[in-house]
Amino acid sequence: MSDTRSVLPYGSWPSPIEADDAARGDALLEWVGFLGDDVCWTEVLPEEDGRSGLMRRTAEGVEKVLPSGWDVRTRVIEYGGRPWLALSGRAADGLVFTHGPDQRLHRWRPGSDPVPLSPPGAWPGELRYADFAVHGDEIWCLRETVADDTARTARRHLVAIPLDGSAAEDPSRVRELAATHHFMTGPRIEPGGDRVAWLGWDHPDMPWDTTRLMVAAVLPDGTLGAPAVRMGGEGEAVTQADWATDGSGTLYAVSDPDGWWNVHAVDRDGGTRSLCPRPEEFGEALWRIGLRWCLPLLDGTLAVIHGVGERRLGILGSDGALTDFDDPATEWHFAATDGRRIGAVASSPGRRRTVVLADPADGSVRTVRAPSSEGRSLPSDAPDPDADGAAPYARTPAPDAYATTPYRRTYRGDDGEPVHVHVYPPHHPEFTGPDDELPPYLVLAHGGPTSRSHLVLNQEISYFTSRGIGVVDVQYGGSTGYGRAYRERLRHRWGLTDVQDCATAARGLIAEGLADPDRIAIRGGSAGGWTAVASIAAEPGLYRAAAVYYPVLDPASWREETHDFESRYLDGLIGPWPDTADRYAHQSPLREADRIRTPFVLLQGLDDTVCPPAQAERLLQRIDPDTVPYRCLTFEGEGHGFRRSATVAASLRAELRLYADALGFTPAAASSCSPS
């Protein structure tokens, strides 16, 4: 490869990262845990119709744990939760898991097929299970009972299910333990089994608004005593709780009474103290049941994931000292521990999602499941990590050499408020743009909206940047990672603050001479789809194209159409219904949809229960196709967030075609640039 880059117009650079590569290039690795000494994780398998396989690394390599066809996935609150648990520290004891198609709880032992533990529902998926704990000869967990496939009506209980399988045919063997709130996490059982803790919250609150930490005694007959609130309450959100391992009865809680999710110790009498008070986040919004960011270790320390706008893994000592691992990863997810080591999914601007094993004893971080060049599972004969913790198979695949180097930037809006963004400049090792040309840019609005995106190596973003199209990923007001005050910027202002912050980011790039003011587009999915449509209606002179994935668009109807978990979300984002019905009309992207003149592509899964297809249809009913060029692609079998690689690839190709037409460039044909 020559050291001198050739000059080609932005958007027309030939790239080896095709849509099919981007669609399968970043494996979805989740829910890490331990089965004996083996690190295990769930992994979406696009080549197997998007099922979630349970994988592990052994001395022989990476392999599937369960027999073929089993789907380790739970649908609780539609966004899911922790779907499996090893039954002990011995691999021979096996594990329990929720099977995706029927949502029943199953038990698996090595050398045998899984067998059901929970009874069938009245229809497949009526009863859903997540976030498990072992108590004697029972599994204690969260059970969700939904009325139908729309999940608009649901009830939740903590339940106990016999491990002997007797409840599979006799539902009366399932014991209901507690139902303190409309929403709950699974149980955390104190070492020794004397007490149990869980989190609960009720509508209209979301779990990042107000939650309560509940504790109850476990009575001799296995029932629970009267639950008591130990932390949380109005305006405070406990997002995780776990017991100390030393038998002291201390309960560690990640909560935000001071505006940041910090780690607190809760003693037996209910007294609390912050262990490491910092203006940093030691937790995240609880979108999925069973997530953990604070892990008590057997030596009395805590493994914690913390930071502002990013996440580092550290060890928090009893004296409050925090020591981070010397590792370049800037994001850590789905952490778990065997009491000594920490397994997690880690990533950074230079590394795609990777399953790693961190050992506080020597400070090492070893690769367990490296990203492969095509995002598929590693072969069973993949070599073990070498002494440096990086397997030869894990060396950076050639397409990653075409990834850009992103950076953080903060702009200021007209009101002086900060707007945090991630900037991904166009990059290609062989090509550059003309000196007299500025690149087109895509403004990316993440979903949520109470969420955030991550500054990491991302094949989908590289698909655009390697062609000469920049991306600015906006962490608009309401995003997590920057404390409660930043989240609260979106309260009652959804469709306003997010739209303004995206425009601030675009204009900031333009003012710095980094982006062509006439070639700005916007893209987003779910809540980001809402922001994208609202933006092209509010800022017709700024955006020249939009890609809209499975959007929320009509808030008044969405309240009645979406699933139970989010059915009152808009109380905080817009206001209580019907008292603020005027706001729903004013802030809806549909309000001025008939004035939209910006070309767009709309991409929708037909099985989406979070943002049903009817939301997208209402937008199209207000658009004149003779005035606004648009395409609408729908996908059978896809829900909220596309899982199949063919769907993702088709969507990316549709986006690129739109941007080429609207932003005025000619994409290169099939790549003639071969990776070196």
Side-chain angles (χ1 to χ4, degrees), residues 294-639:
C294 172
L295 307 174
L297 304 180
L298 291 174
D299 65 1
T301 63
L302 297 171
V304 294
I305 296 171
H306 69 103
V308 179
E310 65 175 19
R311 294 293 181 269
R312 302 280 180 174
L313 177 65
I315 300 297
L316 180 60
S318 57
D319 59 355
L322 179 58
T323 305
D324 287 342
F325 280 80
D326 183 15
D327 186 86
T330 54
E331 295 291 348
W332 296 76
H333 311 278
F334 303 104
T337 185
D338 63 357
R340 298 179 294 108
R341 305 168 298 165
I342 302 102
V345 177
S347 54
S348 72
R351 181 171 63 181
R352 288 184 278 143
R353 286 189 291 260
T354 305
V355 180
V356 300
L357 181 64
D359 191 341
D362 59 12
S364 65
V365 178
R366 296 171 60 84
T367 297
V368 175
R369 195 286 195 205
S372 65
S373 60
E374 293 186 341
R376 292 191 288 265
S377 304
L378 300 187
S380 60
D381 60 349
D384 287 330
D386 59 23
D388 295 326
Y393 193 90
R395 289 178 184 145
T396 304
D400 286 356
Y402 293 78
T404 188
T405 301
Y407 59 90
R408 301 180 193 279
R409 185 77 165 85
T410 299
Y411 294 108
R412 293 279 173 179
D414 292 340
D415 56 4
E417 291 283 356
V419 179
H420 306 295
V421 305
H422 305 157
V423 181
Y424 293 79
H427 169 75
H428 194 296
E430 295 180 348
F431 296 97
T432 187
D435 290 340
D436 61 351
E437 181 184 345
L438 290 173
Y441 257 84
L442 310 181
V443 175
L444 174 56
H446 66 72
T450 312
S451 184
R452 67 184 180 97
S453 46
H454 309 127
L455 188 74
V456 299
L457 198 157
N458 180 303
Q459 282 282 75
E460 191 170 300
I461 288 178
S462 295
Y463 175 75
F464 295 110
T465 57
S466 63
R467 287 169 165 76
I469 307 165
V471 176
V472 57
D473 190 357
V474 185
Q475 311 304 298
Y476 49 81
S479 299
T480 58
Y482 305 93
R484 181 179 280 262
Y486 197 76
R487 296 201 310 271
E488 293 289 333
R489 286 188 57 222
L490 199 63
R491 178 164 290 275
H492 297 164
R493 289 187 53 81
W494 194 33
L496 302 174
T497 295
D498 49 324
V499 170
Q500 292 166 4
D501 286 0
C502 285
T504 292
R507 292 192 171 100
L509 290 172
I510 293 168
E512 290 187 291
L514 300 176
D516 186 337
D518 295 323
R519 294 197 291 174
I520 304 292
I522 188 167
R523 70 190 299 256
S526 188
W530 157 290
T531 302
V533 175
S535 293
I536 61 176
E539 297 274 4
L542 180 61
Y543 301 107
R544 302 305 171 92
V548 183
Y549 284 76
Y550 33 84
V552 183
L553 294 173
D554 181 6
S557 66
W558 184 75
R559 292 179 62 261
E560 304 298 330
E561 294 170 348
T562 194
H563 60 127
D564 180 52
F565 175 63
E566 291 186 278
S567 62
R568 297 293 299 276
Y569 192 9
L570 299 186
D571 284 47
L573 293 176
I574 299 177
W577 180 271
D579 298 347
T580 59
D582 57 332
R583 281 191 215 155
Y584 282 70
H586 177 72
Q587 292 172 218
S588 168
L590 296 182
R591 182 172 70 95
E592 295 184 342
D594 56 353
R595 299 173 56 186
I596 290 175
R597 296 295 181 267
T598 303
F600 65 89
V601 60
L602 197 154
L603 307 123
Q604 178 69 50
L606 295 179
D607 294 345
D608 194 337
T609 58
V610 177
C611 296
Q615 290 284 307
E617 291 165 4
R618 291 189 181 97
L619 171 65
L620 300 183
Q621 290 167 0
R622 299 182 181 220
I623 299 295
D624 182 355
D626 295 329
T627 304
V628 183
Y630 74 82
R631 293 182 68 199
C632 178
L633 280 66
T634 58
F635 301 96
E636 293 277 0
E638 290 283 14

Side-chain angles (χ1 to χ4, degrees), residues 36-81:
D37 289 332
D38 296 337
V39 179
C40 301
W41 64 93
T42 63
E43 179 169 339
V44 172
L45 305 173
E47 70 276 15
E48 297 185 29
D49 206 27
R51 81 174 179 91
S52 188
L54 183 63
M55 318 297 289
R56 69 176 164 188
R57 186 178 189 102
T58 66
E60 289 72 38
V62 171
E63 64 182 23
K64 297 173 184 174
V65 175
L66 300 175
S68 180
W70 292 94
D71 185 3
V72 183
R73 179 161 54 100
T74 177
R75 290 180 58 191
V76 294
I77 68 168
E78 294 307 295
Y79 289 103

Side-chain angles (χ1 to χ4, degrees), residues 82-95:
R82 183 164 288 277
W84 73 278
L85 176 74
L87 289 175
S88 73
R90 300 188 313 123
D93 291 333
L95 56 88

Side-chain angles (χ1 to χ4, degrees), residues 76-77 130-131 141-144 155-159 177-187 198-202 212 214 286 288-290 565:
V76 294
I77 68 168
D131 207 10
C141 63
L142 174 69
R143 183 188 67 192
E144 180 179 71
R155 295 175 291 113
R156 294 164 191 90
H157 296 82
L158 299 186
V159 297
L177 299 170
T180 54
H181 296 78
H182 189 56
F183 297 97
M184 294 184 293
T185 65
W198 65 93
L199 307 182
W201 68 96
D202 293 308
R212 289 172 172 82
M214 310 300 298
L286 194 61
R288 304 176 79 179
I289 303 299
F565 175 63

Side-chain angles (χ1 to χ4, degrees), residues 201-239:
W201 68 96
D202 293 308
H203 280 147
D205 289 315
M206 298 298 285
W208 43 85
D209 296 325
T210 293
T211 63
R212 289 172 172 82
L213 170 58
M214 310 300 298
V215 176
V218 180
L219 303 180
D221 63 356
T223 61
L224 301 187
V229 178
R230 287 292 181 241
M231 198 172 185
E234 192 63 35
E236 179 182 346
V238 186
T239 197

